[in-house]
Amino acid sequence: MLGTYHIPDLVARCPRRPHLVNNDKLTKLEEEHNQWVDSFPLFGDVQRARSKGEQMPLFASCCYPTADVEALHAVVAVTTALICLDHANDTASVEEAEETAKLWISAFNDQSAGLESSNRFAKLISGLASRATAVVGDAYKADCRRATIAFARATVQEAVDRQTAEAHKVKLTFDTYMPTRRNSVACPVFLVYVRAINGLEVSPDPLDDTVVKALELAVIDLFIIANDILSYKKEFKGDEAVHNILTILMEDPSTGCSDLQQAIDCAANIFNQTLDRFTEYRRQLARDKPQLQAYADALVDLFVGLIEWHLASARYNVFESDEDRVNGIVRI
């Protein structure tokens, strides 16, 4: 074991979420999702077990508490498709990552061609995409396409970063890590689903657009920091912590973080500063524009829901006992 570490109560620092998880919908979603996984012809036994173990129904329910079951199924499907690409490119060479990302983009955005393809991966992604995009109306399709393509390309950039680090012993810094991570964390895709599910038009004029983009960037950064703090234990044990903010902070000499606890504390400080940014931009939204206020509320549900999912999910096993949970103790 590496040691024991203290992580802060991130939820306590966040604003109160406007909506709570509907457990009745979650139960129905889990039942229907497991039935779909068991019957989906392109899943083998390993993929079925992995899909159930990811606990995507819990993620969708935590992050989109006002969505109906059809929309929650769409969130589960798009998240599963993103995870499939992430897993495929996580240890791939640059050439392999480029080829897989190209195939993924084509299959996700041209579902009929993907379903007719002889390539099993293309069929799988197109099958998921047909379910994922069912709730994405015409007004949001271009944004969804841009966000999913950016995610796919970010997985290739991470392969480039790995190869560069191995060949030239070059370490990522915080400033070089964040731009790629802002796409590979997939939050921009989830922002599109927030807008699509709630039918929100959030940029009616240039001034609002500037504030909204700043608000969204703060949410993306909150996603990154919270995800990386709470998933580090899982990633470290799986030798997958290279692209994690805690690793970056320990390797970046400008941060002064010489060990994991210092990196956790530093990341928590950045989280708090980012949350202050979010709060300030939320305050700047026009009070007489209910769509903007509703969007900000939904964003709180999104990033607080992400944290709650990590803490509740067996996938991450952040805390090993109730006592550790109360005291914020993580054992790695």
Short mmCIF file of all heavy atoms in Angstrom, two decimals, residues 114-141:
data_model
loop_
_atom_site.label_atom_id
_atom_site.label_comp_id
_atom_site.label_asym_id
_atom_site.label_seq_id
_atom_site.Cartn_x
_atom_site.Cartn_y
_atom_site.Cartn_z
N GLY A 114 -21.98 2.80 -40.02
CA GLY A 114 -21.33 2.03 -38.98
C GLY A 114 -22.02 0.72 -38.71
O GLY A 114 -21.37 -0.32 -38.52
N LEU A 115 -23.34 0.73 -38.69
CA LEU A 115 -24.10 -0.49 -38.42
C LEU A 115 -23.95 -1.51 -39.55
O LEU A 115 -24.09 -2.71 -39.32
CB LEU A 115 -25.58 -0.15 -38.20
CG LEU A 115 -25.87 0.61 -36.90
CD1 LEU A 115 -27.31 1.10 -36.89
CD2 LEU A 115 -25.60 -0.27 -35.68
N GLU A 116 -23.68 -1.02 -40.76
CA GLU A 116 -23.49 -1.93 -41.90
C GLU A 116 -22.04 -2.37 -42.05
O GLU A 116 -21.74 -3.23 -42.88
CB GLU A 116 -23.95 -1.23 -43.18
CG GLU A 116 -25.45 -0.97 -43.22
CD GLU A 116 -25.86 -0.14 -44.43
OE1 GLU A 116 -24.96 0.19 -45.24
OE2 GLU A 116 -27.06 0.17 -44.56
N SER A 117 -21.15 -1.79 -41.25
CA SER A 117 -19.73 -2.10 -41.36
C SER A 117 -19.45 -3.52 -40.86
O SER A 117 -20.16 -4.06 -40.01
CB SER A 117 -18.92 -1.10 -40.54
OG SER A 117 -17.57 -1.49 -40.46
N SER A 118 -18.39 -4.09 -41.38
CA SER A 118 -17.95 -5.41 -40.90
C SER A 118 -17.08 -5.29 -39.66
O SER A 118 -16.74 -6.29 -39.03
CB SER A 118 -17.16 -6.14 -42.00
OG SER A 118 -16.01 -5.38 -42.37
N ASN A 119 -16.72 -4.06 -39.31
CA ASN A 119 -15.88 -3.82 -38.14
C ASN A 119 -16.73 -3.83 -36.88
O ASN A 119 -17.66 -3.04 -36.74
CB ASN A 119 -15.15 -2.48 -38.29
CG ASN A 119 -14.17 -2.22 -37.17
OD1 ASN A 119 -14.57 -1.95 -36.04
ND2 ASN A 119 -12.88 -2.29 -37.48
N ARG A 120 -16.40 -4.70 -35.94
CA ARG A 120 -17.21 -4.85 -34.73
C ARG A 120 -17.22 -3.57 -33.88
O ARG A 120 -18.25 -3.20 -33.33
CB ARG A 120 -16.67 -6.03 -33.91
CG ARG A 120 -17.51 -6.34 -32.66
CD ARG A 120 -16.93 -7.53 -31.91
NE ARG A 120 -17.68 -7.79 -30.70
CZ ARG A 120 -18.79 -8.52 -30.63
NH1 ARG A 120 -19.28 -9.05 -31.73
NH2 ARG A 120 -19.42 -8.72 -29.48
N PHE A 121 -16.07 -2.89 -33.80
CA PHE A 121 -16.00 -1.66 -33.01
C PHE A 121 -16.90 -0.59 -33.62
O PHE A 121 -17.62 0.12 -32.89
CB PHE A 121 -14.55 -1.16 -32.95
CG PHE A 121 -14.35 0.05 -32.09
CD1 PHE A 121 -14.37 -0.04 -30.71
CD2 PHE A 121 -14.11 1.29 -32.67
CE1 PHE A 121 -14.18 1.08 -29.91
CE2 PHE A 121 -13.91 2.42 -31.88
CZ PHE A 121 -13.93 2.31 -30.50
N ALA A 122 -16.88 -0.46 -34.94
CA ALA A 122 -17.74 0.53 -35.60
C ALA A 122 -19.21 0.21 -35.37
O ALA A 122 -20.02 1.12 -35.10
CB ALA A 122 -17.44 0.55 -37.11
N LYS A 123 -19.56 -1.05 -35.45
CA LYS A 123 -20.95 -1.45 -35.18
C LYS A 123 -21.36 -1.10 -33.76
O LYS A 123 -22.47 -0.60 -33.50
CB LYS A 123 -21.12 -2.96 -35.41
CG LYS A 123 -21.23 -3.42 -36.85
CD LYS A 123 -21.41 -4.93 -36.89
CE LYS A 123 -21.61 -5.44 -38.32
NZ LYS A 123 -22.92 -5.04 -38.85
N LEU A 124 -20.46 -1.37 -32.83
CA LEU A 124 -20.74 -1.10 -31.42
C LEU A 124 -20.98 0.39 -31.19
O LEU A 124 -21.99 0.79 -30.58
CB LEU A 124 -19.57 -1.58 -30.56
CG LEU A 124 -19.58 -1.17 -29.08
CD1 LEU A 124 -20.79 -1.73 -28.37
CD2 LEU A 124 -18.28 -1.62 -28.40
N ILE A 125 -20.09 1.23 -31.71
CA ILE A 125 -20.21 2.68 -31.50
C ILE A 125 -21.45 3.23 -32.19
O ILE A 125 -22.18 4.06 -31.62
CB ILE A 125 -18.95 3.41 -31.98
CG1 ILE A 125 -17.72 2.93 -31.18
CG2 ILE A 125 -19.12 4.92 -31.86
CD1 ILE A 125 -17.87 3.05 -29.68
N SER A 126 -21.75 2.76 -33.39
CA SER A 126 -22.96 3.23 -34.08
C SER A 126 -24.22 2.81 -33.36
O SER A 126 -25.20 3.56 -33.29
CB SER A 126 -22.97 2.72 -35.53
OG SER A 126 -21.99 3.38 -36.30
N GLY A 127 -24.20 1.58 -32.80
CA GLY A 127 -25.36 1.14 -32.03
C GLY A 127 -25.59 1.99 -30.79
O GLY A 127 -26.72 2.37 -30.47
N LEU A 128 -24.51 2.34 -30.11
CA LEU A 128 -24.61 3.22 -28.95
C LEU A 128 -25.03 4.64 -29.37
O LEU A 128 -25.86 5.28 -28.72
CB LEU A 128 -23.28 3.28 -28.21
CG LEU A 128 -22.85 2.00 -27.48
CD1 LEU A 128 -21.39 2.07 -27.07
CD2 LEU A 128 -23.74 1.78 -26.25
N ALA A 129 -24.47 5.11 -30.49
CA ALA A 129 -24.76 6.47 -30.94
C ALA A 129 -26.23 6.65 -31.33
O ALA A 129 -26.82 7.71 -31.11
CB ALA A 129 -23.87 6.83 -32.13
N SER A 130 -26.82 5.61 -31.89
CA SER A 130 -28.23 5.71 -32.28
C SER A 130 -29.11 5.94 -31.05
O SER A 130 -30.11 6.66 -31.12
CB SER A 130 -28.67 4.45 -33.03
OG SER A 130 -28.58 3.31 -32.20
N ARG A 131 -28.72 5.36 -29.94
CA ARG A 131 -29.46 5.57 -28.70
C ARG A 131 -29.07 6.90 -28.05
O ARG A 131 -29.91 7.62 -27.52
CB ARG A 131 -29.16 4.42 -27.73
CG ARG A 131 -30.18 4.26 -26.61
CD ARG A 131 -29.91 3.02 -25.80
NE ARG A 131 -31.15 2.36 -25.42
CZ ARG A 131 -31.31 1.65 -24.32
NH1 ARG A 131 -30.31 1.49 -23.49
NH2 ARG A 131 -32.46 1.07 -24.05
N ALA A 132 -27.79 7.23 -28.15
CA ALA A 132 -27.28 8.43 -27.50
C ALA A 132 -27.85 9.71 -28.11
O ALA A 132 -28.08 10.69 -27.41
CB ALA A 132 -25.75 8.46 -27.58
N THR A 133 -28.04 9.71 -29.41
CA THR A 133 -28.46 10.94 -30.10
C THR A 133 -29.98 11.05 -30.24
O THR A 133 -30.46 12.03 -30.82
CB THR A 133 -27.81 11.02 -31.48
OG1 THR A 133 -28.14 9.84 -32.24
CG2 THR A 133 -26.28 11.12 -31.36
N ALA A 134 -30.70 10.11 -29.70
CA ALA A 134 -32.17 10.12 -29.86
C ALA A 134 -32.80 11.34 -29.21
O ALA A 134 -33.88 11.78 -29.64
CB ALA A 134 -32.77 8.83 -29.27
N VAL A 135 -32.15 11.90 -28.20
CA VAL A 135 -32.74 13.05 -27.49
C VAL A 135 -32.04 14.37 -27.85
O VAL A 135 -32.33 15.41 -27.27
CB VAL A 135 -32.68 12.85 -25.96
CG1 VAL A 135 -33.48 11.62 -25.55
CG2 VAL A 135 -31.24 12.76 -25.47
N VAL A 136 -31.11 14.30 -28.81
CA VAL A 136 -30.40 15.51 -29.23
C VAL A 136 -31.13 16.11 -30.42
O VAL A 136 -31.05 15.61 -31.54
CB VAL A 136 -28.93 15.18 -29.60
CG1 VAL A 136 -28.21 16.45 -30.06
CG2 VAL A 136 -28.21 14.56 -28.42
N GLY A 137 -31.87 17.18 -30.17
CA GLY A 137 -32.64 17.82 -31.23
C GLY A 137 -31.76 18.53 -32.24
O GLY A 137 -30.55 18.70 -32.05
N ASP A 138 -32.38 18.97 -33.34
CA ASP A 138 -31.63 19.60 -34.43
C ASP A 138 -30.82 20.80 -33.96
O ASP A 138 -29.73 21.06 -34.47
CB ASP A 138 -32.59 20.03 -35.54
CG ASP A 138 -33.20 18.84 -36.27
OD1 ASP A 138 -32.62 17.74 -36.17
OD2 ASP A 138 -34.24 19.01 -36.93
N ALA A 139 -31.33 21.54 -32.98
CA ALA A 139 -30.65 22.74 -32.51
C ALA A 139 -29.33 22.43 -31.81
O ALA A 139 -28.49 23.33 -31.65
CB ALA A 139 -31.56 23.52 -31.56
N TYR A 140 -29.13 21.19 -31.41
CA TYR A 140 -27.96 20.82 -30.62
C TYR A 140 -27.03 19.84 -31.33
O TYR A 140 -25.97 19.50 -30.80
CB TYR A 140 -28.40 20.21 -29.28
CG TYR A 140 -29.43 21.05 -28.57
CD1 TYR A 140 -30.79 20.76 -28.67
CD2 TYR A 140 -29.06 22.17 -27.83
CE1 TYR A 140 -31.74 21.55 -28.04
CE2 TYR A 140 -30.00 22.97 -27.20
CZ TYR A 140 -31.34 22.65 -27.30
OH TYR A 140 -32.28 23.44 -26.69
N LYS A 141 -27.42 19.39 -32.54
CA LYS A 141 -26.64 18.36 -33.22
C LYS A 141 -25.24 18.83 -33.60
O LYS A 141 -24.27 18.09 -33.48
CB LYS A 141 -27.39 17.86 -34.45
CG LYS A 141 -28.56 16.96 -34.09
CD LYS A 141 -29.29 16.43 -35.32
CE LYS A 141 -30.43 15.50 -34.90
NZ LYS A 141 -31.19 15.00 -36.07
#
